[in-house]
Amino acid sequence: MSRRGITGRAGVLAVVALLVASCGSPGKPVDPAPAGDAGWPQPAHVAGPDSSAGGGADTSCNPLASLAPDKGTSIPDSSTMAKIKERGKLIAGVDQTTYLFGFRNPTSGNLEGFDIDMVNEIARSIFGAPEGRVQFRAISSGQREDVLKKHQVDIVVRTYSITCTRRKDVQFSSVYYVAGQRLLVTKESKATKLADLNGKKVCAAKKSTSAAKIATDPAKLVAISVDNWSDCLVMLQQGQVDAVSTDDTILAGMAAQDPTLQVVGDQFSQENYGIGVPKDNEDMVKFVNAVLENIRTSGAWQKSYRQWVEPSLGQASPPQPQYR
């Protein structure tokens, strides 16, 4: 064998030796960190029961009697409506998370729904057309009174139940929609009423009349309260709660978004929606009531209801107003 062959063979053997060494035992592996069950993350600000939420237990007044509207929707000088017109924008506190009533269309980015239609009709009566004339401010259920008391908005149209307790802090229009509290559960659930959920977790939004009902029901539910109804939906989908309970209008929107869920049981409350107005703006209350009269009689209410609500909850007519 030539010297070159010996040298080449030695080189090959050296490479093989290195490969064998590299394939040797790596030693004792390091134990990984112990892994337990990784639960779903919860929404921010999850809280417990609130028996006084919404003030629905206060019967010291007739909450549905609003201020009688002025004839027509003319705008007097120096009125609240004149100041809004001069500003160029109607500022409205609304929801952007409740499908069918106040939600953001993922395609257009616009806010849509039955409540949004009500806002646009009020803007139409002030400006002649709503396009570009509404500044929507997305708020949670718990912020409704605060933004009105601080005059941060002109109106709140956000599935807002009228109660005597709330009337101490804000004004309300006449009733423009009547809903009722029910249950949303998975289709595998056997529950059809609150009594079927004894000891189970039931979700509602903070400061809502629904949260108070859950907290005080004889079924001894485990009340869970969150900032927005969409948080309840996510918690139900992830199995963190056993049911969501609120107005059937809100639940219908959740069920429409998720075919694995269903609205069950009879209504066990009556929720009368009104448009919230700052306490000292009585002229605005009368104006809004005049707008609502037009909405009821012109067919605008029925048109909006057919588009958003009727496919889920069936036929309905606008509620008759009460005035004082």
Side-chain angles (χ1 to χ4, degrees):
M1 183 180 291
S2 68
R3 181 177 181 85
R4 179 179 294 177
I6 294 172
T7 304
R9 184 176 181 185
V12 171
L13 290 172
V15 171
V16 171
L18 287 172
L19 290 172
V20 170
S22 67
C23 294
S25 173
K28 185 178 181 181
V30 178
D31 288 338
D37 292 333
W40 290 101
Q42 286 194 341
H45 313 127
V46 175
D50 184 355
S51 60
S52 62
D58 185 351
T59 59
S60 61
C61 73
N62 175 6
L64 308 187
S66 186
L67 297 172
D70 294 326
K71 293 182 179 179
T73 54
S74 60
I75 299 177
D77 294 338
S78 302
S79 66
T80 301
M81 297 76 72
K83 294 174 184 176
I84 294 170
K85 191 170 185 177
E86 183 179 358
R87 182 206 296 149
K89 296 277 188 180
L90 172 70
I91 305 175
V94 298
D95 195 357
Q96 65 173 357
T97 63
T98 299
Y99 186 55
L100 304 181
F101 269 72
F103 70 101
R104 194 169 294 280
N105 185 311
T107 302
S108 66
N110 296 328
L111 285 166
E112 298 179 356
F114 187 85
D115 277 351
I116 305 302
D117 286 351
M118 299 299 109
V119 174
N120 286 333
E121 289 301 318
I122 295 170
R124 190 189 308 279
S125 295
I126 296 175
F127 299 105
E131 290 76 15
R133 293 298 191 174
V134 181
Q135 179 180 328
F136 290 108
R137 177 171 178 179
I139 59 173
S140 67
S141 295
Q143 293 176 306
R144 292 176 296 196
E145 281 89 47
D146 289 341
V147 295
L148 288 169
K149 289 193 290 184
K150 295 176 182 177
H151 286 265
Q152 295 173 340
V153 298
D154 301 311
I155 55 175
V156 165
V157 190
R158 195 193 187 285
T159 57
Y160 199 6
S161 297
I162 307 170
T163 68
C164 293
T165 297
R166 287 172 174 165
R167 275 198 176 280
K168 294 173 183 176
D169 294 318
V170 303
Q171 295 271 9
F172 279 101
S173 71
S174 59
V175 178
Y176 71 91
Y177 190 92
V178 178
Q181 189 171 352
R182 295 174 68 189
L183 289 174
L184 181 75
V185 296
T186 65
K187 288 186 175 177
E188 289 76 24
S189 174
K190 303 299 183 183
T192 60
K193 54 186 181 298
L194 288 178
D196 297 332
L197 293 163
N198 187 292
K200 302 291 186 180
K201 293 180 179 178
V202 182
C203 188
K206 294 175 183 175
K207 295 190 178 182
S208 66
T209 52
S210 303
K213 174 62 178 173
I214 294 169
T216 58
D217 192 83
K220 296 181 180 179
L221 311 168
V222 179
I224 303 294
S225 57
V226 293
D227 288 340
N228 292 296
W229 289 113
S230 55
D231 295 329
C232 280
L233 173 59
V234 172
M235 293 184 78
L236 179 60
Q237 290 170 327
Q238 295 179 350
Q240 297 181 36
V241 297
D242 299 283
V244 179
S245 183
T246 187
D247 307 348
D248 49 8
T249 49
I250 299 171
L251 299 182
M254 294 183 188
Q257 291 175 323
D258 187 340
T260 69
L261 306 177
Q262 60 182 346
V263 182
V264 298
D266 297 327
Q267 291 183 349
F268 49 86
S269 75
Q270 180 171 306
E271 305 298 331
N272 302 284
Y273 294 168
I275 294 171
V277 178
K279 186 76 171 177
D280 50 344
N281 290 356
E282 291 192 356
D283 59 344
M284 186 66 178
V285 179
K286 295 177 181 179
F287 180 82
V288 169
N289 281 341
V291 175
L292 290 177
E293 289 281 4
N294 290 339
I295 291 172
R296 294 183 189 100
T297 57
S298 68
W301 189 99
Q302 204 71 60
K303 179 181 177 181
S304 180
Y305 183 86
R306 287 195 187 105
Q307 178 179 0
W308 299 113
V309 189
E310 186 173 284
S312 296
L313 297 179
Q315 296 182 350
S317 299
Q320 292 303 304
Q322 298 181 34
Y323 301 119
R324 62 179 187 269

